[in-house]
Amino acid sequence: MAATQEVSLIDRVTNISDFIWGGAWNGEQVIPLPPMVLVLFGIGLYIMIGLKFYPIRQLGSAFKGLFAGRKSAGDGEISPFAALSTALSGQVGTGNLAGVATAITLGGPGAIFWMWITAIIGMALAFAEGSLAIRYREKAAIGVYRGGPMTYIMMGLGKKWTWLAILFCIGTLFSAVVTGNSIQANSIADSFGELFGFQEWLSGLIVAIAVFLVIIGGIKSIGSVAEKIVPVMAVAYILLAILALILNIEDLPATFGLIFHGAFNPQAASGGFLGAMIIIAIRAGAARGLFSNEAGQGSTPIAHAVAQTNDPEQQGRMAMLGTFIDTIVICTMTALVILTVRGDFTYEGEAVAHAWQSGLNGFEMTSAAYGAAFPLPVLGIPIGTFIVSLALILFVFTTLLTWSYYGERAITFIYDRVPGASVKGEKALHLVWRLLWCVVIYVGASQDLELVWRMGDISNATMALPNLLALALLSGVVFKLAKGERDAGPTHELKKVKKVGEEDGAAVHTPPPGVGH
């Protein structure tokens, strides 16, 4: 009976996920193009055109700005580079190592092309998010700067849009628990099991304790850890992938052929209409692309809002750079290794050349590909598998740190709208949230993978839709910010938090120097 209920639950969740991202219901195509893909691509293209392809034109200057971003040049909590590292720590995680493999399983090699398209369009959305996060942020009663979509909705659009800000926060809490926590905890438990033979509950407990020791210190502690771990691990992972591709260089041209052929091959899926495989590839690539780079989802601007800069355009470039690094660089490296590296794989008793043909899924596919590239055994497993498992643990660990802050900001914003809200109550809420976050890590480590991933697709959409609407409504401000107009757009004051004592006060906007109303 329990098994029947579980299957029934997965079927329901899968149906909703398939409709949002694939336009299908009960396995049948009911609308030709996926609703979420249309919204994501439509608004992204609109902003990209309105920006006159600024993210592509300014990509070089964005990379040059990485060095300048290490220095603080304005109000905020952490350096612009630390803010980018924090945002990247939320972006670079399971999606880059396991999500890419899942995209290939669901949509074939062609899904990777649509993941690239999602990232290119996503760079425009990321610029919009990062620039608006600095243009509209609040200085809380406790003296810290903070912001994100909920703040630029209220300050950029006004009080009548409170419902949209609240809706975004609810979606953020949903997404934080599912994609920012449960999926990550599940993956890190698998890695600990593969490396050290730990049971899932023990892995979850170890990670939960380690995460709590960092997040108890707030965003400055999270930013400090992210700034140290993320750049080193990202560079090391990219170098490892490049070495694997060099060792299998003769198969690389065929890999690109698979990707482009799969992206535009108008064949029918079994029982489906002509072109169904293209829709499946788009659905898988866009869904996993958004899961990985989070462009348009509204999560990364929460991190960028605390950057020590008064220049919205500068942080917008940092934000779009995060999307580029996450998907165009790191996800592509993972995909090319999976599709290119040859090994002794089998599928249903038959020998196959590559890991993606072997029936493996998720991180198992990725680790098998790296294991085939670097087969020298270490602790009884191939060194490639060992290194990539260690990379996953570190990437996922930092993702868990950052998403705890995203969820904390969402629940704090909702709390601040409650009559009688105070600084003292807010601090208590933060402690409760951080403890709850670690409990969810422990529980999520042993959850069913298929159900959690499907829930993740739904939660991403519930968070992204309110943010995408806000970006479309504030697009005129974004276009001006890209031209260097730091005070573009009107500024609406946030509702003050009721004072309960001298140390309790208002979560009210204090514009940085040079930014007017």
Side-chain angles (χ1 to χ4, degrees), residues 51 56 74 134 143-144 174 194 204 233 244 298 348 351 369 394 422 426 428 484:
L51 287 170
I56 298 172
I134 296 298
V144 298
F174 182 22
E194 186 163 9
M233 281 310 305
E348 295 182 349
L394 291 173
S422 66
E426 192 176 287

Side-chain angles (χ1 to χ4, degrees), residues 24-380:
W25 191 262
N26 288 331
E28 296 182 7
Q29 203 73 28
V30 293
I31 54 177
L33 289 173
M36 192 62 204
V37 173
L38 281 174
V39 175
L40 188 67
F41 282 12
I43 295 176
L45 279 172
Y46 166 69
I47 293 178
M48 178 69 86
I49 293 169
L51 287 170
K52 299 177 181 177
F53 297 91
Y54 179 102
I56 298 172
R57 291 187 292 108
Q58 296 294 325
L59 184 61
S61 64
F63 272 104
K64 290 179 183 177
L66 272 178
F67 301 99
R70 290 181 178 274
K71 300 176 182 178
S72 304
D75 300 297
E77 306 305 311
I78 55 181
S79 73
F81 181 80
L84 171 61
S85 296
T86 303
L88 268 173
S89 72
Q91 293 169 289
V92 180
T94 304
N96 300 78
L97 301 179
V100 172
T102 303
I104 293 171
T105 299
L106 295 175
I112 303 307
F113 175 84
W114 296 108
M115 186 178 286
W116 292 337
I117 297 300
T118 303
I120 292 170
I121 294 173
M123 287 171 64
L125 295 171
F127 175 84
E129 291 174 320
S131 58
L132 287 173
I134 296 298
R135 171 63 185 92
Y136 296 118
R137 59 180 176 178
E138 62 175 314
K139 188 174 184 181
I142 55 177
V144 298
Y145 280 88
R146 60 194 186 189
M150 67 287 278
T151 308
Y152 57 66
I153 287 170
M154 293 294 291
M155 294 176 62
L157 298 175
K159 186 179 179 181
K160 64 181 179 180
W161 292 93
T162 302
W163 64 273
L164 187 65
I166 295 294
L167 191 62
F168 170 79
C169 288
I170 293 172
T172 301
L173 290 172
F174 182 22
S175 195
V177 171
V178 179
T179 67
N181 191 315
S182 296
I183 287 177
Q184 310 299 331
N186 196 291
S187 295
I188 205 170
D190 289 344
S191 290
F192 268 113
E194 186 163 9
L195 285 180
F196 309 113
F198 290 173
Q199 294 184 5
E200 290 176 335
W201 70 267
L202 179 58
S203 300
L205 181 62
I206 293 171
V207 175
I209 293 172
V211 167
F212 183 77
L213 292 174
V214 177
I215 66 176
I216 196 66
I219 186 60
K220 289 186 178 181
S221 176
I222 294 170
S224 176
V225 172
E227 190 176 23
K228 292 176 177 66
I229 293 179
V230 173
V232 174
M233 281 310 305
V235 171
Y237 181 78
I238 292 166
L239 291 176
L240 180 71
I242 290 172
L243 182 56
L245 294 174
I246 290 173
L247 293 173
N248 293 267
I249 194 71
E250 68 278 1
D251 288 326
L252 198 54
T255 293
F256 283 101
L258 281 171
I259 292 172
F260 288 105
H261 177 74
F264 300 103
N265 181 18
Q267 71 185 68
S270 55
F273 61 93
L274 189 67
M277 285 306 298
I278 294 180
I279 298 297
I280 293 171
I282 293 173
R283 180 240 187 250
R288 297 279 80 80
L290 176 64
F291 177 84
S292 177
N293 64 50
E294 301 172 20
Q297 188 174 342
S299 51
T300 59
I302 299 175
H304 288 290
V306 300
Q308 291 170 328
T309 179
N310 298 328
D311 186 352
E313 184 185 5
Q314 179 200 19
Q315 206 59 34
R317 286 197 298 269
M318 284 284 190
M320 73 185 200
L321 198 57
T323 298
F324 183 88
I325 293 170
D326 174 88
T327 305
I328 301 297
V329 179
I330 298 178
C331 282
T332 297
M333 289 294 104
T334 301
L336 293 179
V337 169
I338 289 172
L339 295 171
T340 305
V341 172
R342 287 180 173 269
D344 297 325
F345 301 107
T346 59
Y347 179 66
E348 295 182 349
E350 298 291 330
V352 293
H354 305 285
W356 69 277
Q357 301 166 321
S358 65
L360 296 172
N361 193 14
F363 183 68
E364 286 184 352
M365 183 192 296
T366 306
S367 65
Y370 276 97
F374 306 103
L376 184 70
V378 172
L379 299 178

Side-chain angles (χ1 to χ4, degrees), residues 461-474:
T462 61
M463 184 178 177
L465 286 170
N467 180 57
L468 288 167
L469 176 57
L471 293 181
L473 294 170
L474 290 167

Side-chain angles (χ1 to χ4, degrees), residues 411-464:
I411 201 169
T412 300
F413 185 87
I414 294 173
Y415 171 77
D416 285 348
R417 314 271 83 72
V418 176
S422 66
V423 171
K424 190 177 294 184
E426 192 176 287
K427 289 180 177 179
L429 179 66
H430 289 171
L431 179 59
V432 171
W433 169 259
R434 292 167 190 175
L435 287 168
L436 179 63
W437 184 257
C438 295
V439 170
V440 175
I441 292 173
Y442 176 75
V443 174
S446 56
Q447 293 305 299
D448 179 80
L449 187 61
E450 182 184 354
L451 176 62
V452 172
W453 272 104
R454 291 294 191 171
M455 288 288 289
D457 284 345
I458 297 171
S459 67
N460 285 347
T462 61
M463 184 178 177

Side-chain angles (χ1 to χ4, degrees), residues 473-493:
L473 294 170
L474 290 167
S475 58
V477 178
V478 173
F479 302 153
K480 292 179 181 178
L481 292 175
K483 296 176 181 177
E485 297 181 30
R486 296 189 181 189
D487 59 349
T491 301
H492 302 272
E493 295 291 347

